[in-house]
Amino acid sequence: MPRGRYSLHDPHDHTPLGEEHFHCAPGPSGWRYVSQVTTPTGDHRGSVDLAVDELGRPIRLELHASSWQVRGAALYGVTWVRTDPTGTHATEGNVRAHAFTGTSPAFLIALTRLLRLTPGAPETRVRLVAFTDPVLAPLTVDQSWALLGSERHPTDHGPLTVDAYQVSTLDTGERHTVHIAGDVVLAAPGVELEDLDTPPSAFPA
């Protein structure tokens, strides 16, 4: 069960946004990721709880940020309920999308499980619902993903396979690379792995 810490920053101007302290693990029915998010000064800012099934579909999502809350799952696309800080108003949403996304590295891992890309294959287009900071506002985005390749690196715990993905945001034309090993993001725009207690888990083929 990997445990560690990511640092989060604005991908454009590199302003520090805080840290995400996480643990995650694959299980017989899929994969789960749980984290606590802090501000740059160390104050609690929110939390992430994401579970996906063996096919990578989000079967449960719970996000907290700035007293806002989102609960969601894959249902007729993706469906969610967003609750305001007072708890008196809740709005439901549904989009014919493949999955959720947001600032947490958990969403990158979950999407790679859903897509199951192979090197050299054409880019795969996906529609996602992003929950944006600081109030978890939903935004539908279209991306394309491609697996550029995989490299094996020797470590003290044995060989580590690192996958490099090319991600393109279709409405802006932005393109970037995400590096993932097992169920841990090594580097992505706005994300740096700062600490890891145990090696990444290997998913079954």
Side-chain angles (χ1 to χ4, degrees), residues 166-179:
Q166 180 177 275
V167 183
S168 303
T169 304
L170 299 183
D171 61 342
T172 64
E174 286 185 275
R175 181 170 289 184
H176 58 266
T177 303
V178 174
H179 292 90

Side-chain angles (χ1 to χ4, degrees), residues 17 65 117 125 158-159 169 175 199:
L17 300 178
L117 301 176
R125 179 169 175 163
T169 304
R175 181 170 289 184

